[in-house]
Amino acid sequence: MRKNIVAGNWKMNTTVPEGVELAKAVNEAVVAQELKCDVILGVPFTHLTAVKQVIDINKVGLAAENCADHNSGAYTGEVSAPMVASTGANYVILGHSERRGYYNETNEMLKTKVDLALEAGLKVIFCCGESLEEREAGKVEEVIKAEISESLFHLSNEQWANIVIAYEPIWAIGTGKTATSDQAQEVHAFIRNLVAEKYGKQLAEDTTILYGGSCKPSNAQELFAKPDIDGGLIGGASLKANDFMGIVTAF
Ligand code: 13P
C-alpha cells in the first residue's frame, strides 16, 4: 500500500531561528495526534542540522530542497547528497520547477542528482509539471513523460521504491490558482499509468504521487479525496504551522 504524504517546501524562507520555531511547532502538533499521512519538512540547507535536532525523525521526515550533481570537490557553493544525508535528513526534493527554470536544471542533470541522492541513502521527492503555455498547447502529457522518463526510468525496481513523485503545474505555484481536483487527478492518473507501463501495476500502485501548487487547508480535502492524489507538496502554506497542519489533517 502506498503512503499518503504531506511535505512542506519552505523554499528560501525563514532564518535558522525562525525555521527552528516553525519545525518545533509542526513537530509538537504531529506527535500529539494520530495522523493518516506521513509529514516531511523541506528546509534550506542551512537549517537541516538545527531542524533535525528539534524534530522526532520517526514522525517528521526531513528533506533538503536540492543537492549537487557531484559528490565532492571543487564546486564552490554546492551541497552534495552525502552532505545532506550526514545531517540526518532522509529526503531530498529534486527537479522543482524553480530549480529547472531559474538554475537551468535539465532532465539529464537531474538523472545524475537522483542517482547520487539514492546512493547517499536519501529518498527523492521528484517534481514535474507543465507551464501554462505547455498546457494551452496540449503538451501536458508530453512534458511530464519526458521529465519522468528521462530522469527516472533508468532506475531499478528496487530503487523505484525510494521515489515519490510530485506533480506541480507551474501555473499553479504561488499564484493562488490551484489546479481543479479533476485536472490534477487526470495528470496523476496519467503518471501512474506511465509508471505501470515501465515498472508494472504493483509498483505503480505503491508509488506516492503528490500534488503541489496553491494547496491550502480549504482545498486540500477535495484534492486528497481523488484516487490518485496521495498528498501534497506545500509551499506558502507550509510556512505557518497552523495552515500546514490544516492540510496534514485533511486526510
Ligand atoms: P505554493 O504552495 O506556494 O503554490 O508552492 C507550491 C510548491 O512549489 C511546492 O513545492
Side-chain angles (χ1 to χ4, degrees):
M1 259 308 275
R2 60 184 177 259
K3 282 182 183 173
N4 292 325
I5 297 176
V6 173
N9 174 11
W10 291 359
K11 307 192 179 183
M12 197 174 72
N13 292 295
T14 75
T15 61
V16 174
E18 287 165 353
V20 165
E21 285 314 303
L22 178 55
K24 271 187 192 167
V26 170
N27 190 71
E28 208 170 282
V30 167
V31 299
Q33 54 196 306
E34 199 72 41
L35 295 173
K36 297 204 176 78
C37 66
D38 286 5
V39 175
I40 301 169
L41 298 179
V43 311
F45 290 132
T46 43
H47 297 37
L48 288 168
T49 300
V51 167
K52 169 68 171 54
Q53 283 166 11
V54 300
I55 57 175
D56 178 342
I57 197 72
N58 298 314
K59 297 264 168 78
V60 177
L62 182 61
E65 299 172 13
N66 179 31
C67 72
D69 56 349
H70 298 276
N71 267 342
S72 64
Y75 301 99
T76 303
E78 289 292 291
V79 176
S80 71
M83 291 174 181
V84 168
S86 74
T87 67
N90 40 13
Y91 286 87
V92 61
I93 299 168
L94 290 176
H96 194 280
S97 58
E98 289 150 16
R99 301 283 332 158
R100 292 175 188 268
Y102 302 146
Y103 304 99
N104 305 317
E105 293 193 358
T106 61
N107 294 344
E108 186 63 26
M109 189 190 294
L110 287 166
K111 180 181 176 191
T112 304
K113 292 190 179 198
V114 167
D115 285 341
L116 297 180
L118 294 178
E119 211 173 274
L122 297 168
K123 293 188 162 92
V124 173
I125 301 174
F126 184 84
C127 305
C128 59
E130 81 287 357
S131 66
L132 188 58
E133 297 71 47
E134 288 163 341
R135 174 163 282 264
E136 284 171 349
K139 290 187 176 163
V140 177
E141 296 188 350
E142 188 186 317
V143 169
I144 304 283
K145 185 174 180 179
E147 289 180 338
I148 291 182
S149 64
E150 290 173 25
S151 300
L152 297 177
F153 277 1
H154 63 291
L155 298 176
S156 67
N157 287 26
E158 204 172 59
Q159 287 175 310
W160 187 265
N162 295 308
I163 302 291
V164 171
I165 304 282
Y167 168 59
E168 301 205 305
I170 298 169
W171 48 272
I173 296 178
T175 57
K177 200 173 165 186
T178 327
T180 66
S181 55
D182 286 338
Q183 278 175 322
Q185 165 59 26
E186 193 183 354
V187 180
H188 281 234
F190 170 76
I191 292 171
R192 202 176 303 285
N193 275 331
L194 198 64
V195 176
E197 279 169 18
K198 174 70 185 171
Y199 291 104
K201 203 163 166 46
Q202 191 54 52
L203 265 190
E205 282 301 319
D206 292 345
T207 301
T208 298
I209 308 177
L210 308 180
Y211 167 78
S214 299
C215 187
K216 39 190 185 269
S218 58
N219 59 25
Q221 205 153 21
E222 188 189 333
L223 287 159
F224 298 173
K226 292 292 179 187
D228 290 297
I229 303 182
D230 310 314
L233 181 57
I234 319 301
S238 72
L239 295 171
K240 290 205 177 107
N242 280 343
D243 287 352
F244 187 61
M245 289 310 297
I247 297 172
V248 168
T249 52
F251 277 107

